[in-house]
Amino acid sequence: MTQIDLPAFEREWIRFESWLRSNSPADHAMLRRPAERERLVELESRLGFDLHPELKALLQQHDGAAESIVAPGSRRRLPAGAFLPLGHRLSGVDDIVMMYDVLVDIGKDNIDDGLWEDDELAVNLYRCVPFALPNDGGVAFVDHSPGPSYGHVYEMGIGSGDLDGTLWATSLTQLFRTLTDALESDGPFLHYWPTPYEDESGHRCLEWQIRT
C-alpha cells in the first residue's frame, strides 16, 4: 500500500471546496454536514473492513451532497451538487451502503458466471467503496483491495453496461488536485472540460462537458 498523506488530502479538498464557494455557490450549498462518527463506525462494520483514510476524511468533511433544488426566482430545478465529471454527486453514508450492496451483487453474479475471471478490478468489487453517484446508473468508487491499487479512484458505467472501469486518479488527493487545477486553469480533466451552467435567473452550477 502507498503511503497516505492526509494533510495533503485536506489541502486539496480545501482548494476544491474554496473554488466551489467562490465560483459555484449553488453547488457548495449542497454539501451536507460532516458524517457522525457513529455512522462511520456502522459503515465500516457493514463493509467488514476499514475505510480508506482519505475517504473517511472526506466523509468527516461532508456526508455527501444533497439533491438538486429549485433556485429562488426560478421555475426550473437547478442541477446543483452534481459537480463532479459525468454528473456525479458525492455520496453520503446511506448512499454508500446502498450502492456497495449493488456492487457486491454485480460482482458475485458475474464471478459465478465465470465472466470476469481474469479481470482483477471486477472480481474485487466487494473491496470497492462508492463515493459518488450520477443519475444514469454509474458509480465512482475507491479501490480498497490490498496491494498497488489500494486507494485508486475508478468510474464505472454500470447503467450503460460498461463494466471495465476507468481510472480517474491514483488517490482522492490526486483526484481533487487534478480537478481543481482544471477549474483554476479552465483546462480539462481527462477529456472532460469544466462548463458552468446558468439558469434564467442567473444561478450557476458546475458541469463537465466532453470535448473531442
Side-chain angles (χ1 to χ4, degrees):
M1 296 183 187
T2 57
Q3 186 174 4
I4 297 166
D5 186 351
L6 279 182
F9 168 77
E10 292 169 358
R11 287 193 300 270
E12 299 306 331
W13 171 255
I14 289 171
R15 283 183 64 214
F16 182 79
E17 185 174 353
S18 296
W19 189 96
L20 288 180
R21 183 185 295 109
S22 298
N23 298 278
S24 193
D27 282 317
H28 185 264
M30 294 295 97
L31 291 169
R32 296 191 182 109
R33 296 172 60 86
E36 297 179 356
R37 179 181 177 277
E38 292 77 10
R39 298 300 315 282
L40 297 179
V41 172
E42 292 172 1
L43 176 58
E44 290 182 324
S45 177
R46 177 71 174 269
L47 296 172
F49 50 84
D50 292 341
L51 285 170
H52 188 282
E54 291 178 337
L55 180 52
K56 180 179 283 189
L58 179 60
L59 290 166
Q60 288 170 333
Q61 291 282 343
H62 300 283
D63 189 22
E67 295 294 328
S68 58
I69 59 171
V70 177
S74 174
R75 296 180 179 179
R76 299 178 59 186
R77 183 167 291 274
L78 191 65
F83 46 70
L84 298 178
L86 289 173
H88 279 73
R89 181 184 307 275
L90 289 177
S91 298
V93 171
D94 290 338
D95 287 332
I96 290 174
V97 170
M98 178 274 296
M99 195 62 203
Y100 175 74
D101 289 344
V102 172
L103 287 179
V104 170
D105 288 343
I106 291 173
K108 183 178 184 302
D109 288 345
N110 285 275
I111 291 171
D112 290 345
D113 292 339
L115 298 179
W116 290 350
E117 291 179 354
D118 298 323
D119 192 325
E120 186 173 351
L121 178 63
V123 299
N124 287 298
L125 282 179
Y126 70 97
R127 299 288 299 191
C128 297
V129 182
F131 75 94
L133 297 171
N135 293 322
D136 65 356
V139 59
F141 55 79
V142 177
D143 191 347
H144 284 61
S145 302
S149 67
Y150 180 70
H152 286 195
V153 179
Y154 294 91
E155 198 280 333
M156 184 175 283
I158 293 174
S160 63
D162 178 13
L163 301 175
D164 293 332
T166 299
L167 180 65
W168 271 9
T170 58
S171 66
L172 285 173
T173 298
Q174 185 191 61
L175 175 66
F176 287 111
R177 178 187 299 124
T178 307
L179 289 174
T180 310
D181 288 346
L183 293 169
E184 292 178 347
S185 66
D186 195 29
F189 166 74
L190 301 179
H191 49 278
Y192 305 103
W193 293 72
T195 308
Y197 168 86
E198 184 171 337
D199 73 357
E200 72 279 0
S201 62
H203 292 88
R204 302 178 67 194
C205 57
L206 175 63
E207 293 183 339
W208 297 80
Q209 301 291 336
I210 296 176
R211 297 185 188 176
T212 57

